[in-house]
Amino acid sequence: MSLLPVDEAQARLLARAAPLAIEQVSLAEAAGRCLAEPLIAKRDQPWTPLSAMDGYAVRHADIPGPWTLIGEIAAGSLPPETPLAPGTTWRIFTGAPLPAGADTIVVQEDVEADGPVIRMTGDGPSGQGRHVRQRASDFAQGQSLLPAGTRLGPPQIALAALAGHGDLPVRARPRVAILSTGDELIAPGTPCPPGRLPASNGAMLRAMIERAGGIVITEQLVPDDLDTLTAAFAAARDADIVVTSGGASVGDHDLVRPALDAAGGTIDFWKIAMRPGKPLIVGSLGQAQFIGLPGNPVSAMVTGALFLLPLIRHLAGSSRPLPIPRTVPIDGAMPPTGKRAEFVRATMTDGVVTPLAFQDSAAMHAAAIANALIYRPINAEAADYGDFVSVYDWATLGLE
Ligand code: AMP
Ligand code: MG
């Protein structure tokens, strides 16, 4: 099997599965979820012209006054029943509705009240309509505000509330089973005898999955034993995604493919034209999507960010599941690449990216002080100081 280019592998992976079922959630539970339908405004915002300042509602034609004060209008009240007569004004507060006929606000700093007579002392408003929020100037009832597939963050949740929604249709959160393979692994935090290694991929993948909107339903260490791994796979087949780390190469102890086969799963593709992370396995297991990540911690991080997280976002209903690179100059020199794309750990500050010297795919310290991956395509020429390269920062990768 030849090596698949990264973008082709991502496209094939996402084409394998449709977004999960739609469920209705309250705004309190909506953060990080993706809209299953467009967000439609149920009301005009504002519903009527409102004042944007504390001041006096006037007819622009009456400026510079003076005016006779009629009364007060606070936020939450209805507009006065009678229209504003020429030469009169209402004291008005931020968010309060304008009387009919008023079209401009004179801010309170610009006037002096002399009993019921209001005189302008400052410059006054710069034009008609100043400090007035027109009806539906933010959005109008029936307007489509956000497309389906939008990820709901704090601003989108606020918008939904203003648009009249208390709950929203979103896609279910993908349920993920994490199986870390390797006889050498022991649980983090337990004493580590010679020959053993604290397992780091499970904790890392859990953090990545949960931030991307997935739910970890199980996280286990599984020894390199065909029967045990097969049984673990069989038990995980009800998940939406089964992700493994390690055991994905061709060594005698690399049992993920044979165990997947023994558990009744299938492999769609295997091996990606990338460094780190070549031995990635994509397939299915029961109703679950199966992703086998390499065991080296940095390889698991990079392939997790480029394949597992996009799959989670896609199942969760995102219309933009893939990380988005930007183009920035490098402060360093990079050799040409060959038949594999390279994802180079780097630090980016002030729009300039610096490749880290130590690029071992097991070097987690270097990866943990990096904040970006430089993407070097297949057969890229050498890059020199000041050249522009493609960079994925930690935020777009889901590694923050
Ligand atoms: P493997 O792909 O199973 O050959 O593993 C490649 C390397 O990654 C080996 O050095 C493993 O010890 C290491 N490794 C595998 N799984 C983990 C894990 N969960 N945490 C840390 N290192 C791991
Ligand atoms: Mg192993």
Side-chain angles (χ1 to χ4, degrees):
M1 214 189 301
S2 67
L3 302 186
L4 259 187
V6 171
D7 54 353
E8 246 176 75
Q10 287 172 323
R12 258 173 87 164
L13 171 69
L14 299 186
R16 292 174 45 77
L20 300 177
I22 298 175
E23 57 193 33
Q24 201 75 14
V25 297
S26 74
L27 295 187
E29 303 163 305
R33 309 294 290 270
C34 296
L35 279 177
E37 291 162 15
L39 179 71
I40 308 292
K42 291 186 179 177
R43 52 184 296 280
D44 287 343
Q45 177 61 17
W47 69 279
T48 189
L50 301 181
S51 179
M53 299 290 276
D54 292 341
Y56 293 82
V58 302
R59 303 164 167 273
H60 188 255
D62 287 351
I63 292 175
W67 294 272
T68 306
L69 184 64
I70 308 290
E72 268 191 18
I73 318 169
S77 39
L78 291 174
E81 276 168 19
T82 49
L84 191 71
T88 65
T89 186
W90 289 77
R91 176 92 170 102
I92 194 165
F93 298 94
T94 305
L98 266 66
D103 58 9
T104 303
I105 305 298
V106 181
V107 298
Q108 61 190 15
E109 293 82 356
D110 279 359
V111 306
E112 230 172 57
D114 178 6
V117 180
I118 306 300
R119 291 181 209 287
M120 216 166 81
T121 51
D123 291 343
S126 54
Q128 189 176 20
R130 188 77 181 116
H131 304 309
V132 177
R133 299 189 174 126
Q134 301 300 341
R135 174 177 175 184
S137 55
D138 193 355
F139 53 79
Q141 181 174 0
Q143 192 178 334
S144 184
L145 301 173
L146 299 170
T150 301
R151 187 164 199 252
L152 295 164
Q156 294 76 29
I157 290 171
L159 178 65
L162 285 169
H165 298 268
D167 47 40
L168 293 169
V170 298
R171 298 282 172 176
R173 297 175 63 181
R175 296 154 47 257
V176 187
I178 304 173
L179 305 175
S180 302
T181 76
D183 283 339
E184 73 279 29
L185 302 179
I186 58 164
T190 55
C192 188
R196 308 297 293 276
L197 176 73
S200 62
N201 290 341
M204 174 182 70
L205 292 170
R206 174 189 286 276
M208 291 168 66
I209 290 163
E210 289 175 348
R211 273 146 199 267
I215 299 173
V216 175
I217 52 170
T218 179
E219 181 192 340
Q220 298 168 33
L221 298 181
V222 190
D224 292 320
D225 171 74
L226 185 59
D227 291 341
T228 313
L229 191 55
T230 304
F233 283 174
R237 52 192 299 139
D238 290 332
D240 296 311
I241 300 173
V242 175
V243 58
T244 60
S245 83
S249 303
V250 285
D252 289 345
H253 301 280
D254 291 326
L255 300 172
V256 169
R257 288 183 313 132
L260 183 61
D261 193 44
T266 54
I267 293 175
D268 181 351
F269 58 89
W270 178 46
K271 289 194 179 175
I272 315 294
M274 66 187 285
R275 177 180 290 118
K278 181 175 80 164
L280 180 94
I281 299 168
V282 168
S284 54
L285 172 65
Q287 64 115 47
Q289 299 297 315
F290 184 90
I291 299 197
L293 304 180
N296 272 313
V298 179
S299 310
M301 178 190 87
V302 172
T303 51
L306 293 174
F307 296 97
L308 172 64
L309 296 191
L311 178 63
I312 289 174
R313 295 186 199 109
H314 171 66
L315 293 186
S318 169
S319 55
R320 241 189 39 184
L322 293 171
I324 297 171
R326 46 189 165 135
T327 306
V328 300
I330 46 168
D331 183 17
M334 306 187 80
T337 63
K339 290 185 180 145
R340 286 156 70 180
E342 292 177 16
F343 292 88
V344 178
R345 275 72 71 204
T347 53
M348 184 157 55
T349 1
D350 298 334
V352 175
V353 71
T354 310
L356 293 171
F358 195 37
Q359 292 291 330
D360 188 317
S361 61
M364 203 61 221
H365 184 205
I369 59 176
N371 63 6
L373 293 177
I374 301 173
Y375 167 59
R376 303 272 290 139
I378 293 171
N379 293 326
E381 288 173 11
D384 208 347
Y385 284 78
D387 286 352
F388 281 80
V389 290
S390 203
V391 173
Y392 294 93
D393 64 25
W394 260 205
T396 193
L397 289 167
L399 293 173
E400 250 181 0

